[in-house]
Amino acid sequence: MSLPNGPIRQLLYRVLTRFWAWRENAKPLPGGALPSRAPSDNVMRTMNLVMPLKNRTAVGRAEAVMAIAACLDEIYTGLDNVGTVHVARFTIVDDNILMFSFYDGDFRTYIRDFIMTLGHAFDGIVELVENPPPLPCWRHVDEFIEWVHERDALQLPSDPGELAKLVGPEMTNLEDLPRFLAVQLGENRNVQLGAYRAYPGFSVAQIRRAMEAGW
Amino acid sequence: MSGVELSELQGNVLRGYRKNVARHIVARVRDAAAARAFLGAAARGEGPLPVTPGTDWGGAAPEILFNVGVTYAGLRALGVSERSARGLSRAFRKGAVSAAKTVGDYGCSAPEHWRPFWREADAVHLILTLHADDAGALDRGEAALPLGGGMEKLGAEEAAWFAPDIVHFGYRDNISQPRFRGFDPKGRWDDQPAAPLGVLLLGHPTGMEQISWSLPEPKVLGLNGSFGAFRVLEQDVEGFEAYLDSAAETLLGSSEADLLLPPGFEGGAEARRAMLREVVAAKFCGRWRSGTPLALSPFDPNPEPPVSDTDFDYSDDLDGVRCPMGSHLRRANPRSAKIVQRVANHTRRLVRRNMPYGPEFDPANPVKAERGLVGYFLCADLAAQFEAIQNDWINIGLQDPRITGANDPMIGDNDASASWFDIETKAGPVRLRGFPSFVRTRGSAYAFLPSMAALRWIGEIGAGSAAA
């Protein structure tokens, strides 16, 4: 007999995944792009920064809209000066501010250059977020970088073999993959499933140069 | 000098010693109290082997020069509290093994292939560096260390100076180091804009608007200290020379040879081949093997009248026709050249304290032996300077779209099946391919070079006055 997809079934799933997580000693995996030796994997990398709001009401979301709008121009100028950012999007989804970006090179260098270029502009945004980093961000650069890293979504490989290696390195039977995945998603609630690139392997500056848009 | 007393710095931070030989003894703390007592006394100038400070010693250098680098695990083993040690930056705490992929230590350069004592992240606590004019003096210095007492020796890296300032691959080195604001140099310094002290020392302005690197608590632990990426880099000298042979041979049979040879070059096939070898070597490096910078002398390794070794920039060589954008020198320090990361010019300077190891290579009598370069790359922030250079500039080549996707031809993580290097000419780029990695990492550690005051403070931990 199968249970209906109602509250009891969901409760059962929660209990089960917590039990599995306890049994497997599951831990959150670090988010962000994985290191790679290939130069082409080191450009157009993705960051999916998820920042839950402190105030989870429409008022809180309105505060976030106002804070982002107030510094958007400065952020754009900062990103321009960083020079390695293809795209950055600021979105509110439910009660989270999302900053999703495509960037080139080392993640920590990107975030360091970003916050150093921006100065105070980002402080007004992160003030509204749960467990904000030490402020001002630019005075606590190391802490800010790690704060962003901890909120950068885990990137899941689409290949089942690679996925199994990531979420269940001790797994002996691929049929257990859904269980290991469920356990890991209990630890990493936000994940990236894929990222399409129309021009893989090219940096921002290479594209701007080819388009004669200056770099 | 403004802002800092030289007597408070370790001597190897702001100047090179120019001694004949060096020995870096890699050690663990075995008895914290005994190790602290030795370091504290040595920093006070007491005992048989005092730590060499930055003070000018006039005409006569001490016979043995001694300096200390401490890893994060070393600070903890010496009794520095986790809270204080963690205040010294994440990159330092994580260490060189953890940073291997960031800095391009893949394949045979990966930590599992390093010398055994470098492999374990927390095994190395101290790098005890001795400089002297002969091996006997190094031995006397080593005998004065409490190895077998408070410290345990894990291994050592030996180095020796080659006259006249030659390093493996045959280039003249020791040409310049960053010049610092407020510091009156006596050694060989460059003609670039003087760097703020915060490029090298903690607790000083960095040159980036409003930014200063954080100091731990107590501040004395960090103030006037520097971080060092200690690197043991094996150089494949025979492989490098063999590649120059093959590149010259390929170019000799092509129409591109005349684009690369000096205008009006006269000589037969052998002379052209020999010159093309040197042109490729110079383009790879950014200097001729004589040390002459391509930026000032693109066609002549020994111009008359001579040109400056240091007073040049790339801002007037936008297309890299004189010095390729991908050359080692220009990658590691693009000076004022236009780069993608507009805020990064002049902010990622490193002070190099390296010497060759292994026997000098004689092409007429090639002897198989391990050869390389060993020592420190010093800076105030390992992630913002050393790792950013290694990851984004030496490898990947993000600073200029014309080299993105290619790694440094001399020290990059190269694979002969994919490597390329463009030599710009007025008629367009000449592309060289097929070179392997010429440098292999054999060991590395991130060390902190504390100030003399910090070493004295460490020496007093547990004595009542110092709260570790």
Side-chain angles (χ1 to χ4, degrees):
Chain A
M1 187 186 83
S2 64
L3 285 169
N5 194 16
I8 294 175
R9 185 167 171 166
Q10 295 207 12
L11 180 65
L12 182 61
Y13 284 161
R14 284 202 185 96
V15 171
L16 259 180
T17 49
R18 281 188 189 171
F19 170 72
W20 286 334
W22 168 78
R23 200 178 63 178
E24 305 289 343
N25 194 24
K27 297 273 187 305
L29 289 169
L34 296 170
S36 171
R37 192 176 189 178
S40 57
D41 290 342
N42 283 286
V43 292
M44 267 210 119
R45 315 178 97 200
T46 53
M47 181 187 78
N48 308 286
L49 174 59
V50 181
M51 298 178 280
L53 288 165
K54 279 181 196 164
N55 183 346
R56 297 173 175 232
T57 67
V59 173
R61 293 195 293 278
E63 285 172 344
V65 169
M66 300 286 281
I68 294 170
C71 60
L72 217 46
D73 283 348
E74 276 180 88
I75 290 175
Y76 290 171
T77 304
L79 291 170
D80 238 6
N81 285 325
V82 170
T84 52
V85 183
H86 293 253
V87 173
R89 292 163 54 212
F90 298 87
T91 314
I92 294 175
V93 173
D94 285 340
D95 297 320
N96 305 293
I97 302 174
L98 310 182
M99 179 182 172
F100 284 9
S101 61
F102 280 84
Y103 66 95
D104 300 328
D106 179 54
F107 166 77
R108 289 186 168 78
T109 301
Y110 156 44
I111 299 300
R112 185 181 301 101
D113 285 355
F114 172 68
I115 206 60
M116 284 179 172
T117 308
L118 223 54
H120 280 290
F122 217 61
D123 290 354
I125 297 174
V126 296
E127 271 173 349
L128 303 175
V129 169
E130 270 184 0
N131 303 315
L135 298 175
C137 299
W138 56 267
R139 275 223 175 269
H140 303 275
V141 175
D142 257 12
E143 291 95 327
F144 180 71
I145 293 170
E146 293 320 303
W147 184 88
V148 173
H149 183 53
E150 285 163 13
R151 286 155 183 76
D152 190 1
L154 174 65
Q155 301 192 6
L156 293 178
S158 54
D159 175 76
E162 292 299 312
L163 183 60
K165 263 195 261 176
L166 186 72
V167 301
E170 308 294 324
M171 194 190 318
T172 52
N173 187 346
L174 203 57
E175 287 180 359
D176 291 335
L177 179 57
R179 181 166 62 82
F180 276 90
L181 187 57
V183 167
Q184 199 58 56
L185 289 177
E187 304 297 318
N188 293 83
R189 294 180 63 84
N190 306 310
V191 292
Q192 174 186 292
L193 303 178
Y196 170 73
R197 297 162 176 84
Y199 40 88
F202 291 98
S203 70
V204 175
Q206 286 178 312
I207 294 159
R208 290 181 67 98
R209 180 169 178 261
M211 300 296 289
E212 298 183 348
W215 57 275
Chain B
M1 177 178 183
S2 64
V4 61
E5 293 294 328
L6 288 174
S7 58
E8 280 307 307
L9 303 181
Q10 290 204 56
N12 57 343
V13 172
L14 269 173
R15 66 173 164 199
Y17 285 151
R18 310 195 67 73
K19 289 280 191 180
N20 289 335
V21 288
R23 180 176 300 161
H24 304 278
I25 296 160
V26 183
R28 283 181 68 78
V29 173
R30 200 163 74 168
D31 175 335
R36 284 197 305 263
F38 169 80
L39 292 174
R44 290 192 300 272
E46 300 165 3
L49 191 64
V51 174
T52 306
T55 322
D56 188 357
W57 52 58
E63 182 196 24
I64 305 168
L65 303 164
F66 171 51
N67 293 103
V68 181
V70 191
T71 65
Y72 177 80
L75 286 176
R76 298 285 293 120
L78 284 166
V80 174
S81 72
E82 183 177 4
R83 180 171 162 268
S84 294
R86 285 177 75 92
L88 281 169
S89 95
R90 174 193 173 277
F92 171 64
R93 187 173 74 247
K94 301 292 279 185
V97 172
S98 169
K101 289 179 178 170
T102 302
V103 304
D105 284 340
Y106 284 99
C108 63
S109 284
E112 58 264 32
H113 301 296
W114 294 356
R115 298 196 215 289
F117 53 86
W118 292 113
R119 284 181 202 159
E120 297 299 324
D122 296 333
V124 174
H125 291 168
L126 298 162
I127 301 173
L128 306 162
T129 297
L130 301 165
H131 284 82
D133 279 329
D134 59 69
L138 292 182
D139 292 341
R140 288 194 292 282
E142 182 170 341
L145 291 167
L147 302 171
M151 303 169 185
E152 174 191 357
K153 181 178 175 180
L154 301 176
E157 302 288 352
E158 307 276 345
W161 176 74
F162 296 152
D165 282 328
I166 297 296
V167 290
H168 294 302
F169 295 161
Y171 295 85
R172 183 163 71 86
D173 197 14
N174 278 330
I175 292 173
S176 72
Q177 298 283 4
R179 186 164 50 95
F180 293 96
R181 281 179 207 154
F183 181 60
D184 181 25
K186 288 194 172 173
R188 298 179 185 187
W189 304 82
D190 66 25
D191 290 290
Q192 296 176 72
L197 275 172
V199 164
L200 181 63
L201 300 178
L202 290 187
H204 296 270
T206 62
M208 284 169 281
E209 195 177 354
Q210 300 178 311
I211 300 292
S212 57
W213 309 124
S214 57
L215 287 171
E217 286 295 336
K219 291 188 169 47
V220 66
L221 174 62
L223 185 66
N224 294 328
S226 277
F227 292 107
F230 189 89
R231 306 279 285 165
V232 186
L233 302 172
E234 181 182 356
Q235 293 172 264
D236 178 7
V237 182
E238 286 178 274
F240 184 73
E241 295 295 332
Y243 182 77
L244 296 181
D245 282 337
S246 88
E249 189 63 33
T250 305
L251 289 167
L252 198 60
S254 79
S255 58
E256 291 169 330
D258 287 329
L259 296 172
L260 300 180
L261 289 167
F265 183 84
E266 292 177 0
E270 278 314 304
R272 285 166 68 85
R273 189 194 318 271
M275 190 64 197
L276 283 168
R277 282 182 102 260
E278 292 310 306
V279 169
V280 172
K283 296 291 185 182
F284 268 15
C285 178
R287 290 184 187 274
W288 296 93
R289 294 210 256 200
S290 63
T292 301
L294 284 178
L296 296 179
S297 180
F299 290 113
D300 190 346
N302 299 296
E304 284 298 338
V307 297
S308 167
D309 284 338
T310 61
D311 190 8
F312 62 89
D313 200 358
Y314 307 115
S315 56
D316 56 351
D317 183 23
L318 293 177
D319 294 324
V321 172
R322 292 204 293 273
C323 181
M325 280 82 68
S327 67
H328 172 63
L329 215 65
R330 190 163 172 170
R331 276 176 180 268
N333 179 12
R335 301 194 175 208
S336 301
K338 179 184 179 183
I339 56 171
V340 168
Q341 301 89 345
R342 288 159 215 166
V343 293
N345 290 89
H346 301 296
T347 65
R348 298 180 182 173
R349 308 292 309 278
L350 298 172
V351 169
R352 294 173 302 127
R353 296 281 177 250
N354 308 299
M355 286 171 81
Y357 74 87
E360 205 166 352
F361 182 75
D362 177 3
N365 184 25
V367 174
K368 282 219 175 291
E370 186 183 325
R371 301 174 169 86
L373 195 75
V374 59
Y376 281 112
F377 295 87
L378 298 178
C379 57
D381 189 291
L382 288 159
Q385 294 169 257
F386 177 70
E387 290 181 1
I389 289 174
Q390 284 287 130
N391 191 89
D392 285 3
W393 288 359
I394 294 294
N395 293 313
I396 312 178
L398 275 184
Q399 63 271 54
D400 191 305
R402 292 164 291 186
I403 61 169
T404 301
N407 298 334
D408 185 303
M410 295 180 71
I411 69 165
D413 173 36
N414 287 305
D415 180 324
S417 66
S419 59
W420 57 268
F421 175 76
D422 281 348
I423 302 176
E424 296 292 337
T425 73
K426 288 183 177 166
V430 173
R431 178 161 290 193
L432 303 179
R433 294 182 186 274
F435 45 89
S437 288
F438 298 119
V439 170
R440 169 190 176 194
T441 306
R442 299 304 313 275
S444 185
Y446 284 172
F448 182 59
L449 279 66
S451 70
M452 302 297 275
L455 285 171
R456 292 194 295 270
W457 176 83
I458 288 170
E460 289 166 10
I461 290 174
S465 61

